[in-house]
Amino acid sequence: MEQYKQEFIEFMVECQVLKFGEFTLKSGRKSPFFMNAGGYVTGTQLLKLGEYYAKAIHDNYGLDFDVLFGPAYKGIPLSVATTMAISKLYGKDIRYCSNRKEVKDHGDTGILLGSKLKDGDRVVIIEDVTTSGKSIEETYPIIKAQADVEIKGLIVSLNRMEKGQTDKSALCEIKEKYGFDANAIVNMQEVVEYLYNKPFNGQIYIDDTLKAAIDAYYEQYGAK
């Protein structure tokens, strides 16, 4: 596993963004782990987060694209932090763009924040986590309605590796439905392998009991 992925797993735990226990998801599933990117709240955390996303985007898509699109609301700080990190790490200026939940009819009008989209733009979408793929159902038509753009792919921080609306993972469903790649900084298999019975900050986060709960969860909800 790449060094930045190992560091990112530790970073999620340290920031209490990735938690273990028992959580009820929007889908109604009871999960032994939960990831909430809203837990990144300081400038230092967002700076580091942007750098992890930047490295994953570089690895998966290169830097031959024009716009990083972060859907409202959580995608807004993600897109800003990551475009700044790409500039810092790679010396490449990428424009950021996000959508508003409601169209603004005065001043900076329209549905977009940041850069406007132009015909021919190559776009990467950035999100925190995708469980069912429903967010892309909302985001995709918004982007395509603005200009004739090419969507190169989606990047999320964590691939939960569970069924979306079919037996396949949400990221696989997105690729099949929309025709662009969908990748993550890390996936849950990598998280479990890295943290299982390994002390971190004086604590074991995934012990035998939690590992059994995660295994049982994937028996029921794991993607094929």
Side-chain angles (χ1 to χ4, degrees):
M1 192 191 311
E2 293 89 335
Q3 181 68 29
Y4 77 86
K5 290 189 174 190
Q6 297 177 25
E7 293 174 0
F8 182 62
I9 293 169
E10 294 180 354
F11 176 66
M12 284 193 291
V13 173
E14 281 184 327
C15 295
Q16 298 185 9
V17 164
L18 180 60
K19 298 181 179 182
F20 302 99
E22 185 174 309
F23 307 91
T24 301
L25 307 179
K26 281 183 183 178
S27 61
R29 298 174 184 175
K30 293 193 181 301
S31 172
F33 58 92
F34 181 69
M35 185 267 177
N36 174 27
Y40 300 116
V41 294
T42 71
T44 300
Q45 289 171 343
L46 288 170
L47 179 63
K48 285 185 177 180
L49 178 63
E51 291 181 356
Y52 292 126
Y53 267 111
K55 290 174 181 177
I57 289 170
H58 179 267
D59 278 5
N60 286 286
Y61 303 117
L63 297 174
D64 192 22
F65 67 101
D66 308 292
V67 179
L68 189 60
F69 187 94
Y73 288 104
K74 288 182 181 178
I76 296 173
L78 295 180
S79 61
V80 172
T82 304
T83 51
M84 293 171 70
I86 290 172
S87 175
K88 174 186 172 184
L89 294 177
Y90 303 109
K92 177 74 183 284
D93 257 345
I94 301 293
R95 291 146 46 209
Y96 98 90
C97 180
S98 297
N99 64 293
R100 295 181 170 97
K101 289 290 188 179
E102 297 172 353
V103 176
K104 189 178 178 185
D105 60 5
H106 62 280
D108 182 19
T109 59
I111 198 169
L112 300 182
L113 290 168
S115 172
K116 303 301 183 187
L117 295 175
K118 302 180 296 189
D119 288 351
D121 276 343
R122 296 156 300 175
V123 178
V124 172
I125 304 171
I126 184 170
E127 289 197 312
D128 56 348
V129 64
T130 297
T131 302
S132 67
K134 288 183 179 178
S135 59
I136 291 297
E137 287 183 8
E138 299 173 1
T139 301
Y140 183 81
I142 291 172
I143 294 174
K144 297 299 272 186
Q146 305 307 308
D148 183 14
V149 303
E150 173 195 353
I151 299 178
K152 293 197 67 172
L154 166 70
I155 190 78
V156 300
S157 59
L158 178 67
N159 178 2
R160 289 183 59 100
M161 299 178 67
E162 60 190 80
K163 297 174 185 177
Q165 297 176 32
T166 67
D167 282 345
K168 297 179 180 178
S169 75
L171 296 188
C172 286
E173 289 174 351
I174 288 167
K175 185 172 182 177
E176 288 187 356
K177 183 172 182 177
Y178 299 103
F180 55 79
D181 282 339
N183 294 287
I185 304 175
V186 294
N187 61 47
M188 271 309 295
Q189 181 178 346
E190 292 169 324
V191 171
V192 172
E193 288 175 355
Y194 186 70
L195 290 178
Y196 179 46
N197 278 341
K198 175 185 176 182
F200 174 62
N201 284 347
Q203 181 177 346
I204 292 178
Y205 287 88
I206 301 181
D207 57 13
D208 290 340
T209 301
L210 188 62
K211 174 69 160 53
I214 292 173
D215 288 345
Y217 183 77
Y218 280 113
E219 279 290 319
Q220 186 171 4
Y221 297 117
K224 303 298 182 186

